[in-house]
Amino acid sequence: MKLFHVAAFLAALVSCTMAGVYTNRFLELYEQIVASKSGYYSKEGVPYHSVETMMVESVDYGHETDSEALSYNIWLKAMYGEIAGDFQPFNEAWDVIENYMIPETQYNEDRYNPSNPGSTSGITVGKDPIGNELKTSYGDNRVRVMHWLSDVDNVYGFGNTQGQCESGPLASGPSFVNNGAGTVFSGITYPTCDSFKYGGSTGFSWYSSVPNWQYSAAPDADARAILGAYWASQWATQKGKISDISSTLSKAARLGDYLRYAFFDKHFKQIGNCIGGSTCPAASGKESAHYLISWYIGWGGAVNSQNGYAWRMCSGEAHIGYQNPITAYALINDPNLRSNSASAVEDWQNSLQRQLEFYKWVQTSEGPLGGGVTNSWNSNYEDPPAAVKTNTFHGMWYESQPGYQGASDWFGMQTWTVDRLAQYYYLTGDATAKSVLDKWINWILTQITVTSKKIKVPVTLSWSGNTPSDAHASVVGSGNMVGIVSSIARTLSYYAAKTGNSRAKSVAKQLLDTMWSLNRDSIGLSVTSTVSTLNQVNNKVYIPISGWTGTYPNGDKINASSNFLDIRSWYKSDANWWQLQNYLNGGPAPKINYHRFWEQADMALALGAYGILFNE
Ligand SMILES: *[C@@H]1O[C@H](CO)[C@@H](O)[C@H](O)[C@H]1NC(C)=O
């Protein structure tokens, strides 16, 4: 093991164009991440959510993956191109997106009608203003963004591999899945394409009587992939290697074009003061665009061509944690990433301005960035309480927890987005970005404890207030989660590189140095988590229709008395099952050193950014 590692490291050094302490640490961690024995990737080269399979957070199994992991893979490999001079891994990482995460199976896509994107009872639905434009650019009605969730090892056995609808447990390769309503512990994982082969008499389709398909994107991940592609473009240009990646960049440009679906109200209704499902006006042009990176893009249709249909749905709910000014900047300014679609550049210009305004608007007086906004109060176009209406954003309303309760509590939602703002400031010197950053950085520096023996940074926040004018965050949990420490360090690095703030630089360095000396192990960096949440495997599953029962491909039964574990019997052969079993029998909670792909990549990117920015 050791010998292999040294050999790989030396091999990397040979082609290395940069050799500082931190760029070398980037390469060392990079080689651990990509080594097949480490277990971060499937045989197809798809990064798993985590090496460890007993993992329930956004995913319900560690060897599922999400568009988040694939987007980090792009960015990681872009930086590898900069540091090692080789952009081939970047191209291959983008192929993984095309081959496994952008769905080809979109039956009846030709039936999609932008004048009627999808009907919902009691709601007047507006017109999709970019559907025809995208069809003109790309020749068909397929939506080309990433679906967010994949069962990489086909452990559920649906076999929704690329181009297939329920080809079953023997199919090899990543299978597109959806996560059912409810929490991750109560949700029923089901196939994206449902031909009624598994589940109940109408498969897993609780609201449809015909075989159908349905995908959904998490637009922050697609945006992160474009951020990675943008840096690859910059770095490859500087090295005279842009032709190595130009065909990949055109794919990124196309993804960015479709990503504009993140800009619209769920049902293409007017943005601002949108009250009443039937009374708030349906829009026809861009009046339905809030121009923020929202929660969700959904699209689907019928499987069979008889009475076939296809639909699209967006989201009028935007979290500050999803915003990405680098992506907007890239799609406007980088000729390798710019789309030829008629209104694409103008839309991203509007988005860039709107996002910057949004950062400023949601910032609390102390520094943390509040949750976000919605165009649809209670997700139902209701009339919000008077207190909420005193301070609006383009007529939309503040929500401290947009998307779901707890969405703003995890501190990574702050650091991910502030890091991107800091990168944007580094590139442009933008004054709005600077003013938000000055306040946030001053605040975070008061919240960090770092010595050579210990790191303590915020991990959990709690929120109060009805609008940003009276919103406040308190730090209610601290720790040294790898990905939070690394994204704070990267934010401080970009800020310090532009402002010359020496305190920000030295805290970034200390965070990276202390993590590096205390938390490395044989496959990356980790901290030990006591996973007390795993007792929720006893939670009953959420069945949307009373009386519904079904069966998974492996024979596991699903009914009102089933819990998380009952419908995932394969968890009982997990390497960590003994720990969970012990816990369920009254013993201590499992202790696991998780290796989430995104966290390893985030740490490598923080080390590399520090090295590149300061030539160290
Ligand atoms: C209901 O589900 C449980 C657990 O999933 C299973 O043990 C039981 O056999 C199921 N009941 C029926 C009638 O299928």
Side-chain angles (χ1 to χ4, degrees):
M1 251 165 76
K2 276 251 157 61
L3 271 181
F4 171 84
H5 181 74
V6 168
F9 182 48
L10 288 177
L13 275 181
V14 171
S15 60
C16 181
T17 58
M18 297 189 158
V21 171
Y22 296 89
T23 47
N24 280 344
R25 285 181 188 172
F26 169 90
L27 289 172
E28 191 173 337
L29 180 53
Y30 181 91
E31 294 301 339
Q32 283 187 308
I33 295 170
V34 301
S36 60
K37 68 180 167 54
S38 299
Y40 289 99
Y41 291 91
S42 77
K43 61 183 190 302
E44 299 86 4
V46 178
Y48 295 118
H49 179 78
S50 61
V51 169
E52 296 72 24
T53 46
M54 182 169 283
M55 151 62 74
V56 190
E57 45 188 31
S58 53
V59 298
D60 55 276
Y61 183 60
H63 278 198
E64 288 177 337
T65 198
D66 33 35
S67 49
E68 171 184 284
L70 273 68
S71 69
Y72 264 102
N73 197 33
I74 296 296
W75 188 8
L76 175 70
K77 286 170 178 178
M79 192 176 277
Y80 180 76
E82 164 69 347
I83 293 175
D86 175 9
F87 288 94
Q88 201 45 40
F90 167 75
N91 288 327
E92 287 163 13
W94 200 280
D95 287 343
V96 167
I97 285 185
E98 299 286 328
N99 293 340
Y100 302 108
M101 222 55 164
I102 300 178
E104 283 170 12
T105 315
Q106 301 187 18
Y107 303 104
N108 290 304
E109 61 188 46
D110 55 314
R111 309 283 180 99
Y112 178 66
N113 176 7
S115 297
N116 181 19
S119 57
T120 302
S121 79
I123 300 209
T124 49
V125 177
K127 292 181 169 51
D128 164 3
I130 60 172
N132 287 328
E133 185 177 303
L134 289 164
K135 186 175 183 185
T136 302
S137 293
Y138 304 102
D140 59 33
N141 268 322
R142 187 172 305 170
V143 173
R144 292 179 172 90
V145 291
M146 289 189 273
H147 177 61
W148 83 278
L149 185 64
S150 168
D151 174 9
V152 182
D153 296 344
N154 194 25
V155 66
Y156 283 95
F158 297 122
N160 274 332
T161 52
Q162 190 65 282
Q164 301 293 314
C165 186
E166 298 195 312
S167 62
L170 296 179
S172 109
S175 167
F176 292 102
V177 289
N178 276 313
N179 218 330
T183 68
V184 64
F185 281 100
S186 64
I188 296 173
T189 300
Y190 64 97
T192 50
C193 186
D194 189 354
S195 65
F196 296 176
K197 193 164 165 185
Y198 306 111
S201 58
T202 57
F204 294 86
S205 297
W206 295 287
Y207 308 107
S208 175
S209 55
V210 298
N212 63 90
W213 56 276
Q214 180 175 340
Y215 295 106
S216 51
D220 69 319
D222 300 78
R224 187 185 293 106
I226 290 163
L227 173 148
Y230 173 73
W231 284 117
S233 172
Q234 296 302 298
W235 288 325
T237 300
Q238 286 160 17
K239 290 187 186 320
K241 293 191 170 188
I242 191 70
S243 62
D244 290 6
I245 62 169
S246 45
S247 96
T248 295
L249 295 179
S250 69
K251 292 170 192 157
R254 186 177 64 193
L255 182 77
D257 213 352
Y258 284 93
L259 182 57
R260 289 185 288 154
Y261 274 114
F263 294 163
F264 301 98
D265 173 72
K266 181 171 181 177
H267 299 291
F268 300 95
K269 292 164 90 66
Q270 156 195 297
I271 292 298
N273 307 310
C274 189
I275 298 171
S278 59
T279 46
C280 167
S284 57
K286 300 278 171 74
E287 318 88 76
S288 59
H290 49 64
Y291 293 109
L292 299 171
I293 312 268
S294 68
W295 263 128
Y296 165 88
I297 300 166
W299 71 111
V303 168
N304 300 321
S305 57
Q306 199 185 1
N307 302 318
Y309 60 87
W311 56 265
R312 291 177 198 172
M313 213 180 254
C314 306
S315 169
E317 205 166 16
H319 199 295
I320 191 64
Y322 270 38
Q323 306 313 303
N324 195 327
I326 295 283
T327 295
Y329 180 78
L331 295 171
I332 297 164
N333 294 299
D334 185 337
N336 301 297
L337 290 169
R338 204 181 288 139
S339 153
N340 292 323
S341 297
S343 65
V345 169
E346 188 189 334
D347 283 348
W348 281 108
Q349 281 166 338
N350 286 327
S351 178
L352 179 56
Q353 289 319 311
R354 196 64 61 89
Q355 288 186 47
L356 292 169
E357 231 181 283
F358 189 39
Y359 280 101
K360 186 126 190 104
W361 188 74
V362 296
Q363 187 164 41
T364 60
S365 53
E366 294 83 7
L369 305 173
V373 287
T374 183
N375 196 47
S376 176
W377 193 254
N378 280 338
S379 304
N380 196 27
Y381 301 104
E382 289 171 20
D383 193 3
V388 173
K389 290 176 162 173
T390 57
N391 181 2
T392 63
F393 186 77
H394 294 268
M396 297 192 288
W397 302 295
Y398 176 79
E399 277 184 319
S400 63
Q401 304 279 358
Y404 61 94
Q405 196 54 40
S408 303
D409 296 348
W410 180 62
F411 197 67
M413 287 298 253
Q414 298 281 313
T415 58
W416 278 357
T417 196
V418 179
D419 168 40
R420 299 187 286 253
L421 189 66
Q423 292 178 43
Y424 177 73
Y425 169 60
Y426 171 77
L427 285 169
T428 64
D430 180 89
T432 305
K434 180 173 193 304
S435 75
V436 173
L437 287 165
D438 285 346
K439 213 171 184 185
W440 195 90
I441 300 277
N442 279 335
W443 173 80
I444 193 69
L445 289 173
T446 67
Q447 303 295 316
I448 297 173
T449 309
V450 56
T451 67
S452 61
K453 300 257 174 313
K454 190 181 162 155
I455 288 179
K456 206 174 124 204
V457 299
V459 169
T460 314
L461 298 176
S462 116
W463 288 91
S464 65
N466 292 308
T467 72
S469 328
D470 65 358
H472 299 288
S474 348
V475 176
V476 294
S478 302
N480 59 346
M481 185 180 185
V482 175
I484 291 182
V485 172
S486 56
S487 50
I488 293 174
R490 202 172 47 250
T491 306
L492 293 172
S493 300
Y494 277 103
Y495 179 76
K498 188 74 176 174
T499 57
N501 184 314
S502 57
R503 174 99 202 285
K505 184 185 172 197
S506 76
V507 172
K509 180 175 178 340
Q510 279 181 290
L511 289 171
L512 295 173
D513 287 347
T514 301
M515 259 342 257
W516 191 256
S517 75
L518 299 183
N519 294 95
R520 256 179 318 147
D521 60 29
S522 63
I523 60 168
L525 286 92
S526 65
V527 297
T528 304
S529 314
T530 303
V531 202
S532 47
T533 50
L534 280 173
N535 59 8
Q536 295 175 64
V537 298
N538 279 328
N539 287 10
K540 293 276 179 280
V541 299
Y542 172 71
I543 294 180
I545 300 286
S546 144
W548 182 89
T549 64
T551 308
Y552 270 142
N554 69 354
D556 284 358
K557 299 267 181 257
I558 316 163
N559 58 54
S561 64
S562 311
N563 65 29
F564 178 94
L565 212 48
D566 290 329
I567 69 170
R568 296 171 180 87
S569 57
W570 32 268
Y571 254 123
K572 294 185 175 166
S573 44
D574 193 277
N576 277 310
W577 168 242
W578 66 273
Q579 289 210 63
L580 179 54
Q581 192 173 31
N582 200 8
Y583 183 37
L584 298 177
N585 289 335
K591 288 192 185 304
I592 303 180
N593 277 53
Y594 280 121
H595 296 81
R596 296 172 182 86
F597 179 82
W598 80 261
E599 287 195 283
Q600 304 303 319
D602 198 283
M603 178 53 78
L605 287 159
L607 292 163
Y610 188 90
I612 292 166
L613 291 167
F614 303 114
N615 199 22
E616 287 182 29

